[in-house]
Amino acid sequence: KAGVTQTPRYLIKTRGQQVTLSCSPISGHRSVSWYQQTPGQGLQFLFEYFSETQRNKGNFPGRFSGRQFSNSRSEMNVSTLELGDSALYLCASSLAGQNSNQPQHFGDGTRLSIL
Amino acid sequence: AQSVAQPEDQVNVAEGNPLTVKCTYSVSGNPYLFWYVQYPNRGLQFLLKYITGDNLVKGSYGFEAEFNKSQTSFHLKKPSALVSDSALYFCAVRVPNRDDKIIFGKGTRLHILP
């Protein structure tokens, strides 16, 4: 069974640009969550999508947005990039979502660097 | 507010010795507790979880964790450390039907010394 796939693995952008990251969950998983990981702040929850609906979101500005498609694949978009957006962005999928006792399965992340 | 704390940024253990990575939580209600491990340039991997029942939970790679309700702790343990256990470990907590977000600790870097 294929794991969670995130593309691209690495990305370099400049301030003011926008970026779209992609996540393909494990087959059959309907929940996709996104996290930002930085050395200073650790792992911070961005949002969760379940069956194409955003079910929960963290405390990030509106520049961070996402969506989920009918095949459960998800995209995350960051507009007007800032230097502080440099981070590892992780996607995690699970069968039933964060309101269940099921563990999350993580992709290897997209490392975003802002110049 | 829900929170989870990993009081040690780094833990050093000699190979073959027992290891403990600490986690405490502050929630109202009965939490679901998880441990994950992250190797360099990789995502997090699930190790084990506590939902209900036996306070001692066994997981992958020989790890186990003990749920202690009175001390609100969920420490990760292994009887004999391997060099390959060196990684970043995250504790996570969720309270069912409240907020529904999973909260991660800041992580503890485990160094196993040969």
Side-chain angles (χ1 to χ4, degrees), chain A residues 11-62:
Chain A
L11 206 47
I12 298 175
K13 292 286 187 179
T14 56
R15 281 181 299 174
Q17 287 187 309
Q18 73 161 18
V19 67
T20 299
L21 311 181
S22 179
C23 172
S24 293
I26 291 173
S27 177
H29 285 193
R30 296 164 64 189
S31 166
V32 173
S33 297
W34 289 89
Y35 296 87
Q36 182 195 66
Q37 185 178 17
T38 58
Q41 298 298 317
L43 207 61
Q44 293 190 285
F45 171 71
L46 280 155
F47 27 66
E48 181 195 8
Y49 285 87
F50 186 87
S51 294
E52 302 179 66
T53 301
Q54 187 180 87
R55 190 155 69 175
N56 227 328
K57 71 188 302 285
N59 298 320
F60 278 80

Side-chain angles (χ1 to χ4, degrees), chain A residues 37 56 98 101 104 108, chain B residues 36 38 49 94 99 102:
Chain A
Q37 185 178 17
N56 227 328
Q98 293 204 14
N101 61 17
Q104 295 190 296
D108 287 337
Chain B
Y36 290 84
Q38 185 179 33
K49 66 181 180 183
R94 191 185 83 74
D99 198 61
I102 294 177

Side-chain angles (χ1 to χ4, degrees), chain B residues 8-113:
Chain B
E8 300 154 319
D9 290 337
Q10 182 169 310
V11 171
N12 297 322
V13 177
E15 186 178 23
N17 282 3
L19 69 86
T20 299
V21 182
K22 296 179 181 177
C23 172
T24 59
Y25 61 91
S26 176
V27 301
S28 50
N30 296 315
Y32 294 165
L33 295 155
F34 304 84
W35 274 102
Y36 290 84
V37 60
Q38 185 179 33
Y39 297 101
N41 299 315
R42 302 297 302 274
L44 279 67
Q45 293 179 36
F46 169 73
L47 279 178
L48 51 78
K49 66 181 180 183
Y50 173 82
I51 305 301
T52 187
D54 194 349
N55 290 344
L56 185 63
V57 179
K58 294 190 183 296
S60 306
Y61 312 121
F63 284 94
E64 58 189 28
E66 186 168 11
F67 172 65
N68 187 317
K69 189 171 184 177
S70 62
Q71 296 185 4
T72 62
S73 67
F74 188 56
H75 300 332
L76 182 70
K77 300 182 179 184
K78 187 172 182 180
S80 179
L82 300 172
V83 172
S84 56
D85 293 330
S86 298
L88 186 58
Y89 290 81
F90 290 94
C91 179
V93 63
R94 191 185 83 74
V95 178
N97 302 317
R98 288 175 186 263
D99 198 61
D100 281 345
K101 296 175 190 174
I102 294 177
I103 309 295
F104 283 84
K106 287 198 172 293
T108 297
R109 189 162 298 281
L110 178 64
H111 286 286
I112 306 302
L113 310 170

Side-chain angles (χ1 to χ4, degrees), chain A residues 91-109:
Chain A
C91 163
S93 76
S94 65
L95 272 170
Q98 293 204 14
N99 64 346
S100 75
N101 61 17
Q102 296 299 311
Q104 295 190 296
H105 300 264
F106 284 80
D108 287 337

